[in-house]
Amino acid sequence: MVIVEGIPGSEKATLSRYTHDILNIHKMESELFLEGNLLHPADFESVACMPNQELDKLRSIYFDVFHYVDPFVSMYGNDSLIAYELANQSAQNGIPSSLYEEIRRYEIYDGVSVEKYCDLMIKRWKSFVKVQREKENMMISAYSTSPYFYCPTKCSRSSIKQSF
């Protein structure tokens, strides 16, 4: 696994693409994930963190279209994580804008406490590392928001490394 980390504009994506291309030239399988990729396994791009009670209310109000959203919901204690943009793309924009906006109000990057964000990020990264260990191909990721930067008191490099 190769993680290219840096501040915005530091050419993370360029270096990641270059590394991916070199590996491909040498017939080494690799996956490339850049920031903003909705399928990035360690990013919360377009993911909402909504209390389960609120989610249940929306489910009852939008019962006729919530089947588009449900496959993109994962439980996290008393909250649910909702990959709302992936749901919308999968539904080919079949999710009413009122529902989309209601979910989007709970965007992780805008609406959770620092403590909750750190907890979510650390769990996401640990899960990501565990999955990567089991893969045979190389994974390359350009990333500017690692848990080390946002959660320095809760997350030491050694706590993530223990997952390796």
Side-chain angles (χ1 to χ4, degrees), residues 68 86-95:
Y68 291 131
L86 279 176
N88 198 42
Q89 288 178 7
S90 175
Q92 297 176 345
N93 298 317
I95 295 174

Side-chain angles (χ1 to χ4, degrees), residues 120-136:
L120 288 167
M121 184 60 84
I122 290 165
K123 286 182 178 175
R124 184 80 156 223
W125 271 85
K126 285 185 176 183
S127 172
F128 164 62
V129 168
K130 183 180 180 197
V131 168
Q132 282 309 123
R133 287 182 74 198
E134 296 169 4
K135 289 186 172 184
E136 294 197 19

Side-chain angles (χ1 to χ4, degrees), residues 25-42:
I25 287 169
H26 292 284
K27 308 283 188 241
M28 296 176 71
E29 280 191 47
S30 64
E31 292 177 272
L32 175 64
F33 291 97
L34 302 176
E35 274 186 301
N37 181 334
L38 297 177
L39 299 176
H40 194 298

Side-chain angles (χ1 to χ4, degrees), residues 13-65:
T14 301
L15 180 58
S16 297
R17 282 187 194 100
Y18 178 76
T19 304
H20 179 67
D21 291 345
I22 293 294
L23 289 170
N24 284 337
I25 287 169
H26 292 284
K27 308 283 188 241
M28 296 176 71
E29 280 191 47
S30 64
E31 292 177 272
L32 175 64
F33 291 97
L34 302 176
E35 274 186 301
N37 181 334
L38 297 177
L39 299 176
H40 194 298
D43 196 0
F44 283 120
E45 181 69 33
S46 299
V47 174
C49 181
M50 178 181 284
N52 291 335
Q53 290 178 328
E54 292 298 315
L55 182 67
D56 290 341
K57 286 180 192 174
L58 288 179
R59 221 181 236 122
S60 65
I61 294 168
Y62 294 97
F63 63 91
D64 55 332
V65 293

Side-chain angles (χ1 to χ4, degrees), residues 52 75-80:
N52 291 335
M75 304 302 276
Y76 175 75
N78 293 326
D79 297 312
S80 292

Side-chain angles (χ1 to χ4, degrees), residues 101-134:
E101 290 302 319
E102 190 65 34
I103 294 170
R104 196 168 148 268
R105 284 187 328 120
Y106 292 90
E107 168 67 44
I108 282 181
Y109 291 134
D110 298 331
V112 299
S113 68
V114 172
E115 293 80 17
K116 184 179 269 190
Y117 174 81
C118 288
D119 190 40
L120 288 167
M121 184 60 84
I122 290 165
K123 286 182 178 175
R124 184 80 156 223
W125 271 85
K126 285 185 176 183
S127 172
F128 164 62
V129 168
K130 183 180 180 197
V131 168
Q132 282 309 123
R133 287 182 74 198
E134 296 169 4

